Every structure is written in structure tokens, then in C-alpha cells.
Amino acid sequence: TITITGGVVTAQNSGEGAVIGGGSGGSGGTITIDGGAVTASNHNSGAAIGGGKGGSGSTITINDGVVTASSHNSGAAIGSGSGGTITINGGVVNASATSGAAGIGGSVGAYGGTITINGGVVTANSNSRGAAIGGGAGGDGGTITITGGVVTARTNGGGAGIGGGGYGTGNRPAGAGGTVTISGGEVTATSTEASGIGGGLGEKDNS
């Protein structure tokens, strides 16, 4: 169990474990951020916040604070293996991923898990075939619920803004959009190649 209630926390990692969360193959356990300025950057295949390579994101709750999470390889910025349960109730959250992972949700090949945003200012970006919020490349979106907050999801690639990732490696098909429910808040979701909200780009669609 990891709980951050305040202060300035800066962490980075170049291994297969998460920066904040589980080791390689491990779950992220229970991670709660109640305040502070938290910056986590992973330059390998674990999540910035969540599970290590191949591990689930488990239970991640952000209630307040300024959280900046970035992944520069196949792990999600917030989430990882199978996205687990991610809840954002407030704060300012910036999550960005490259190389096929989701900003918030699944790593490459993993579905988004259960993602709930009830408030806060949330900005998620993916610069490849992962969704900004949802599945990594080849992963379905999972269950995504937005009831409030200001949410911006941008994908520069084959993943949806919110929903499924684009086609994965080894002929893995694109991820389906999953179940997306929006009942409040201000939501902007865009993708340069796939749905703003929905499924990712299939490989045959890119031929």
C-alpha cells in the first residue's frame, strides 16, 4: 500500500518495474494520492504509476494534488498490465505515454480495466497506438465512466482518444471501445487516426 498525502515527490525508473507501484511482473497494489506534487517518469516497460511489466495496475485512487505521469516505453503512464481499477476524484492529472501504451489504462496488449473520473482536471495523451484513456495497442477500452471534471484525451496515432487501442503486434486486432459512459463534466476526446470515443484503428484500415 502506497499513500501520498503531500510534499514534492519526484521519481523515475529505467527498469521493468513501475516507478510508483509494483516490480517487474507485479501488481501495483493499492496506491492513493491525496495531495502534493507527484512526478513519475518511466523509460522502460513498467508503468509510471501502477504495475510493473506484465503486472496489473491494481487499485489507484487520485483524490487531489498535481500528478504528472509519463511513460516512454510499453507501460502505461497510469495503470499497466491490465489497467486494474483507476479512480480520479480531483486534482490536476497529466498522463502521457508513447510506444503503444495508454496514458491512463493498459500497457501494450492490455485492456483498460475500470477507469472512473469523477472530478479534477485530467489530461491524457498517447503518441502511438494506445488510447489516451483506455486500452493499450491491441487492448479493449474496458469500462470507462466519467461523471465530472474537465477531461482532455488526445491520441496522435491509431488508438482512440477514449476507448480501444489500435492494432497490436503479431496480427493482434485493434481493441474494441469497451463500455464508455459520460454523465457529466467537460470532455474532449480526439484521435488523429481512430475514433475520438470508441474502437482503435485496425491494421487493415491502415493499409
Side-chain angles (χ1 to χ4, degrees):
T1 300
I2 299 171
T3 303
I4 299 172
T5 60
V8 178
V9 179
T10 303
Q12 60 181 355
N13 184 12
S14 296
E16 294 184 346
V19 178
I20 298 174
S24 179
S27 158
T30 300
I31 301 170
T32 303
I33 300 175
D34 290 325
V38 180
T39 302
S41 177
N42 197 323
H43 293 266
N44 205 310
S45 47
I49 300 173
K53 179 182 180 180
S56 72
S58 287
T59 302
I60 301 168
T61 304
I62 300 173
N63 294 315
D64 203 353
V66 178
V67 179
T68 303
S70 59
S71 168
H72 303 277
N73 203 305
S74 57
I78 299 174
S80 211
S82 56
T85 300
I86 302 167
T87 304
I88 300 173
N89 294 316
V92 178
V93 179
N94 295 287
S96 61
T98 61
S99 302
I104 299 173
S107 63
V108 172
Y111 78 105
T114 300
I115 302 168
T116 303
I117 300 174
N118 297 315
V121 178
V122 179
T123 303
N125 294 286
S126 175
N127 206 30
S128 184
R129 296 198 302 273
I133 299 175
D140 294 344
T143 301
I144 302 168
T145 303
I146 300 173
T147 66
V150 178
V151 180
T152 304
R154 296 183 293 241
T155 299
N156 183 20
I162 298 174
Y167 65 91
T169 59
N171 297 318
R172 188 181 181 99
T179 301
V180 179
T181 303
I182 301 172
S183 61
E186 181 181 329
V187 180
T188 303
T190 60
S191 171
T192 58
E193 297 179 14
S195 305
I197 299 173
L201 175 76
E203 187 168 17
K204 66 180 183 348
D205 300 324
N206 198 38
S207 59

